[in-house]
Amino acid sequence: MGKLFGLIGHPVSHSMSPSMHNDAFRNLDVDHHYQAFDVKGEDLEAAISGIRALGIKGFNVTIPHKVNVMKFLDEVDEEAKLIGAVNTVVNKDGKLIGYNTDGEGYLQSLLKVTGQELQQMKTLIIGAGGAARAVFTVLSRYGVSELDIANRTNEKAAILASECNCGQADVEVLSIEEAGERLNEYDLIINTTSVGMSPHTDHLPIHLKNLKKATVVSDLIYNPLKTKLLLEAEGKGATILNGVGMFVEQGALAFEKWTGVAPDRHNMENIVLKQLGGF
Ligand code: ATR
């Protein structure tokens, strides 16, 4: 019998997850279905009870519930606890277990560009929200040895640096301006803020005047596919990476947790790109 999976968030009407997962289920030749549910903050607890009652086998969690959902689960995995957010839940015989596949998804997409050299790349993370916590946690765990963080609100960056450094990374907390002045020190620059996201596509999270050519510049945003940050970085000879790979990987890792099967990442990526109008 087909099993039900889903997504809870608000809003969810533009989510690409249903088409990505339903296509992967069809390719597996199983009768499972993935459904997006629009759940407002005040209805979150009731929604989780409903998921238990209906026997939904697994679900993703998106904005604004990634933090609040944790208190309604039976167990939260260690890395998700460090990150402080859950984006994937597995219903294991009635027990709801929370994971975070955003960080690992990002790491997998990044490694395709950097290879093993990543550990030696001096890295700057811009932003200190949930996405930054996921990225910082996995990069420090992976062994990136120099990991700086710049954010509009300095205190948030300092808290992140003290809570999420699960490796032995050497960390400096900087203002955005300071980081911009010292940009030529970095081999890898990662924007985790929403600055530059559609419809505000003419905004830049940091000035690139001091960017060196051999840098990898990565933006977690996938709409547009090339933010102003990536366009300018590419113009200066940098290698660029957008957020499509992370989105696909976080979904593929969730799919693996639910089904035990690795989905075809290329199919997933094609579906996402089609939906984004990329080809
Ligand atoms: P997410 O879960 O996507 O990371 P979030 O937790 O709301 O979202 O974090 C948003 C991040 O983008 C924060 O680092 C935020 O900076 P503040 O900590 O100072 O709020 C950053 N951000 C959002 N809009 C910004 C803007 N216009 N300029 C600079 N930083 C911005």
Side-chain angles (χ1 to χ4, degrees), residues 63 66 126-132 151-153 156 176 192-195:
I63 290 166
K66 286 186 182 187
I126 305 165
N151 191 45
R152 178 177 62 180
T153 312
K156 253 170 89 177
I176 302 268
T192 70
T193 76
S194 51
V195 180

Side-chain angles (χ1 to χ4, degrees), residues 115-137:
Q116 303 293 313
E117 273 175 45
L118 177 58
Q119 284 181 333
Q120 282 79 50
M121 294 173 79
K122 180 163 179 167
T123 299
L124 173 69
I125 295 176
I126 305 165
R133 290 181 71 95
V135 168
F136 191 100
T137 301

Side-chain angles (χ1 to χ4, degrees), residues 140-179:
S140 66
R141 190 234 304 142
Y142 186 75
V144 174
S145 54
E146 290 178 280
L147 200 47
D148 292 353
I149 178 154
N151 191 45
R152 178 177 62 180
T153 312
N154 194 272
E155 305 82 71
K156 253 170 89 177
I159 292 170
L160 190 167
S162 70
E163 289 181 354
C164 300
N165 192 0
C166 55
Q168 298 295 317
D170 202 350
V171 181
E172 251 192 281
V173 174
L174 308 165
S175 67
I176 302 268
E177 293 70 30
E178 259 178 297

Side-chain angles (χ1 to χ4, degrees), residues 77-219:
D77 145 273
E78 278 311 309
E79 186 156 291
K81 272 189 204 153
L82 261 183
I83 293 170
V86 157
N87 80 320
T88 299
V89 177
V90 176
N91 184 346
K92 194 168 179 234
D93 306 323
K95 196 167 150 190
L96 298 185
I97 308 171
Y99 298 90
N100 187 306
T101 66
D102 286 331
E104 184 61 27
Y106 178 70
L107 178 62
Q108 292 307 321
S109 75
L110 181 63
L111 282 169
K112 286 181 191 146
V113 173
T114 64
Q116 303 293 313
E117 273 175 45
L118 177 58
Q119 284 181 333
Q120 282 79 50
M121 294 173 79
K122 180 163 179 167
T123 299
L124 173 69
I125 295 176
I126 305 165
R133 290 181 71 95
V135 168
F136 191 100
T137 301
V138 294
L139 292 188
S140 66
R141 190 234 304 142
Y142 186 75
V144 174
S145 54
E146 290 178 280
L147 200 47
D148 292 353
I149 178 154
N151 191 45
R152 178 177 62 180
T153 312
N154 194 272
E155 305 82 71
K156 253 170 89 177
I159 292 170
L160 190 167
S162 70
E163 289 181 354
C164 300
N165 192 0
C166 55
Q168 298 295 317
D170 202 350
V171 181
E172 251 192 281
V173 174
L174 308 165
S175 67
I176 302 268
E177 293 70 30
E178 259 178 297
E181 286 307 314
R182 291 171 46 185
L183 214 61
N184 59 356
E185 292 178 19
Y186 296 101
D187 307 305
L188 170 61
I189 296 163
I190 305 164
N191 175 44
T192 70
T193 76
S194 51
V195 180
M197 191 187 288
S198 180
H200 305 294
T201 53
D202 59 335
H203 294 187
L204 262 183
I206 197 161
H207 280 293
L208 292 181
K209 64 179 191 302
N210 295 322
L211 183 78
K212 65 177 182 194
K213 215 176 171 179
T215 308
V216 175
V217 177
S218 165
D219 201 325

Side-chain angles (χ1 to χ4, degrees), residues 8 44 48 51 59-62 64-74 76 85-89 96 98:
I8 56 170
L44 181 60
I48 300 298
I51 282 169
F59 60 100
N60 285 129
V61 184
T62 190
H65 305 315
K66 286 186 182 187
V67 176
N68 290 337
V69 76
M70 294 169 78
K71 58 177 176 282
F72 303 121
L73 304 178
D74 300 306
V76 175
V86 157
N87 80 320
T88 299
V89 177
L96 298 185

